Amino acid sequence: MIRPTALPLGPDGYPAAGGVERRSAGAAESVRANRGWWDAAAPAYLAEHGADLGDVDFLWCPEGLREADAHLLGDVTGRRVLEVGCGSAPCARWLRRAGADVVALDVSGGMLARAADLGRATGVEVPLLQADAGALPLADASVDVVCSAFGGLPFVADVEGALAEVARVLRPGGRFAASVNHPFRWPLPDSPDPDDLRVVSSYFDRRPYVETDGEGRTVYVEHHRTVGDWVRAVVGAGLVLDDLVEPEWTPGRTQEWGQWSPARGALVPGTLVLVAHRPST
């Protein structure tokens, strides 16, 4: 496992950003920055969101959609499942408890260390792999299901390559489902307040969001694609797109999560879930 990188933290416990910009960022830069950011941010992120994520639960998105209700993966009993971007791996542990044979993968050693701790604490342990979503260390046609809940795909520069990897490791007929930031959110301010719903940048500006530290080094990269970009990437990887799910806010749910909030969620979508499969022939 790659040793976590120490980054200076802000008062909120997250890595302090010295600057923010929109510019191109390649695969190596994205992987290096995001591995370090998530290593450093893991304690603060899990302190803030761990209760909502649960220790053994599968939450697809801040709107509150859970796999127990959505059934986007189908019956996983006896299925070989790969979770990409597992974080602390609550989804993988939920899948294991549901009867799946699970492998959980993440780029961050800090997150995987917490996943290992929680596996021991809950008694639901799953194999953990540290790797980039763009280079899955699994054999061809070796898994029945690949899933990713806001993990991996928004942070890779070459999403076409990452989806080609998903298609490669899936068995014929295998299912793929992944939730990502809804592309509609990108031109809007990063605020949960519905009064802030105004367009401040172009939806068609694909330049990544990049944070740098006080010395100008890249510490965080998130990539934007339009809905059409996502559809073309899935289909271009040789997968068949079955559904595009835009979860509505769960009634009675009061949890705010960054720019996601009940008030804003009632007006605009915040999450896009891609559901696809590898053709049988």
Side-chain angles (χ1 to χ4, degrees), residues 22-267:
R22 297 287 295 276
R23 62 165 174 80
S24 62
E29 182 181 12
S30 297
V31 170
R32 182 175 60 254
N34 289 323
R35 176 184 290 126
W37 194 93
W38 283 106
D39 284 345
Y45 180 84
L46 294 173
E48 182 177 5
H49 300 298
D52 197 30
L53 290 167
D55 293 339
V56 186
D57 200 359
F58 198 131
L59 178 67
W60 276 111
C61 56
E63 287 84 356
L65 181 67
R66 284 178 156 80
E67 177 59 15
D69 302 312
H71 307 293
L72 299 180
L73 303 180
D75 184 1
V76 298
T77 305
R79 297 288 188 178
R80 178 74 165 163
V81 181
L82 169 66
E83 184 187 5
V84 176
C86 67
S88 60
C91 300
R93 287 189 292 275
W94 182 91
L95 289 163
R96 179 69 187 90
R97 185 169 282 177
D101 177 14
V102 189
V103 175
L105 177 150
D106 202 278
V107 73
S108 167
M111 278 293 188
L112 291 174
R114 182 58 176 155
D117 290 342
L118 287 170
R120 289 187 289 269
T122 61
V124 186
E125 297 190 64
V126 298
L128 303 172
L129 290 174
Q130 185 174 16
D132 173 28
L136 301 177
L138 281 83
D140 296 357
S142 59
V143 299
D144 301 297
V145 177
V146 177
C147 61
S148 184
F150 275 85
L153 294 183
F155 306 103
V156 297
D158 180 12
V159 74
E160 292 82 5
L163 289 171
E165 280 288 273
V166 167
R168 178 184 65 79
V169 303
L170 274 175
R171 294 177 179 136
R175 186 173 299 199
F176 166 68
S179 57
V180 298
N181 294 321
H182 198 291
F184 185 74
R185 287 295 177 101
W186 274 78
L188 307 175
D190 188 6
S191 165
D193 190 341
D195 291 338
D196 287 335
L197 286 177
R198 63 188 187 280
V199 175
V200 296
S201 64
S202 172
Y203 173 80
F204 300 103
D205 182 358
R206 272 84 161 185
R207 291 177 301 170
Y209 169 88
V210 178
E211 291 183 0
T212 55
D213 64 13
E215 298 181 12
R217 294 172 298 191
T218 304
V219 295
Y220 180 92
V221 181
E222 191 167 344
H223 294 265
H224 167 55
R225 284 108 191 171
T226 67
V227 173
D229 293 338
W230 281 113
V231 171
R232 285 185 291 275
V234 170
V235 174
L239 300 171
V240 175
L241 187 65
D242 298 311
D243 202 357
L244 291 174
V245 181
E246 297 170 293
E248 296 186 41
W249 201 267
T250 300
R253 178 174 168 81
T254 60
Q255 178 75 33
E256 288 194 4
W257 193 312
Q259 62 176 273
W260 289 265
S261 68
R264 193 166 180 176
L267 300 174

